[in-house]
Amino acid sequence: VNLTEGEVFDAQGEGVWVSQAYANHQGAKLGDEITVDTGDGVKHKLPILGFYEFWLTQQEMVMGYAYYEKEFDQTSGPNALLFDSGGEDIAALETSLADTPGLLSIVSDKANQKVNFDMFADVSRTVVLVYLVLAVLMAIVVLLNLNVMFIEEKKRDLIVLMINGFSTRDAKRYIYNDTIALTIIGIVVGLVLGCIVGSVTVGSVEPAPAMFVKDVDPIAVVVGIVGSGVLALVMSMIALRRIPRFNLTDINKV
């Protein structure tokens, strides 16, 4: 882990250091206290001495040996050591250090984090896919119904246009103009609300010691715009098939 700029880790300090990810989630500040429940009915209040840069899961809190033994009234010993492998193969390192006293195994923290992330990503991807399919199906039904209702509402105006010599294509263009304007408005509003809801949703599923990226993905924005436009166009084309079937004698019936 890397300390934040200008800070020096004090292993003998009377308190704990927490990761920046944990601090951001909990709104922790220097001097605040963290309550640790050891499961035996005793709750320990540990003051925060500082923060360190670590954005992955695990290792969200560290403290010195002396303070741990004093606060929790039990001895401790090192059971893990974090180090930078410098790109060396983990299996090769484990083989070369096999004769080191007290060494049980070497585990790649990066690999563990990747496994955890992949598991979370697989579940999230499935959930997102289900919601996306449901959203598309709902959009198809809603857009098609709205387009049909809009054409029925404008039926009298469309018949008047055709009686006055306008072609079916002109009548369709009359509907297209309104559809395009409403689609553009819907895309703009949808992008704004989607970014807000997406950020809130990602933040709500974050584990306490980790941070997820909440930046807007340009590719997702482009795909959303193109998908919405294509869907609106297809639904409009289906609904517009009703116009050539209009009977001009029906003008007094609408």
Side-chain angles (χ1 to χ4, degrees), residues 35-48:
T35 300
V36 176
D37 188 347
T38 56
D40 56 0
V42 179
K43 294 185 178 180
H44 304 266
K45 294 186 178 298
L46 314 178
I48 296 177

Side-chain angles (χ1 to χ4, degrees), residues 17-235:
W17 289 66
V18 299
S19 68
Q20 285 187 327
Y22 181 88
N24 285 0
H25 276 292
Q26 305 300 329
K29 302 183 295 296
L30 195 66
D32 287 351
E33 290 185 332
I34 294 179
T35 300
V36 176
D37 188 347
T38 56
D40 56 0
V42 179
K43 294 185 178 180
H44 304 266
K45 294 186 178 298
L46 314 178
I48 296 177
L49 299 180
F51 307 98
Y52 56 89
E53 295 176 347
F54 194 75
W55 303 95
L56 302 177
T57 56
Q58 303 176 353
Q59 291 91 44
E60 61 266 23
M61 181 174 65
V62 296
M63 68 187 77
Y65 291 126
Y67 180 71
Y68 175 84
E69 294 175 354
K70 173 186 174 182
E71 182 65 33
F72 295 94
D73 193 26
Q74 55 182 300
T75 59
S76 64
N79 58 8
L81 175 65
L82 295 178
F83 68 93
D84 185 355
S85 65
E88 295 291 334
D89 181 70
I90 298 299
L93 282 175
E94 187 169 15
T95 301
S96 64
L97 298 174
D99 296 332
T100 303
L103 177 66
L104 296 180
S105 64
I106 298 179
V107 178
S108 171
D109 186 66
K110 179 179 179 181
N112 284 347
Q113 298 292 349
K114 187 177 186 305
V115 170
N116 293 335
F117 179 80
D118 288 343
M119 290 176 60
F120 178 83
D122 289 340
V123 175
S124 301
R125 193 177 296 111
T126 302
V127 173
V128 171
L129 182 60
V130 171
Y131 275 101
L132 184 60
V133 171
L134 293 177
V136 170
L137 293 176
M138 185 174 65
I140 290 175
V141 174
V142 171
L143 286 174
L144 185 57
N145 284 336
L146 287 177
N147 276 283
V148 171
M149 291 171 59
F150 183 66
I151 291 175
E152 287 297 321
E153 183 181 345
K154 298 291 184 180
K155 185 174 181 179
R156 183 182 182 86
D157 296 339
L158 295 172
I159 292 177
V160 169
L161 285 176
M162 289 187 286
I163 289 177
N164 287 304
F166 288 91
S167 65
T168 301
R169 179 177 298 178
D170 294 328
K172 289 183 177 180
R173 189 180 299 114
Y174 174 72
I175 299 296
Y176 267 133
N177 293 336
D178 288 345
T179 301
I180 293 173
L182 291 175
T183 300
I184 293 175
I185 294 174
I187 289 175
V188 173
V189 174
L191 286 175
V192 174
L193 293 179
C195 291
I196 295 174
V197 173
S199 179
V200 172
T201 302
V202 171
S204 65
V205 299
E206 286 176 336
M211 296 286 287
F212 294 156
V213 176
K214 303 181 184 67
D215 297 339
V216 177
D217 186 353
I219 296 179
V221 171
V222 173
V223 172
I225 293 175
V226 173
S228 299
V230 170
L231 193 60
L233 176 62
V234 172
M235 293 303 102

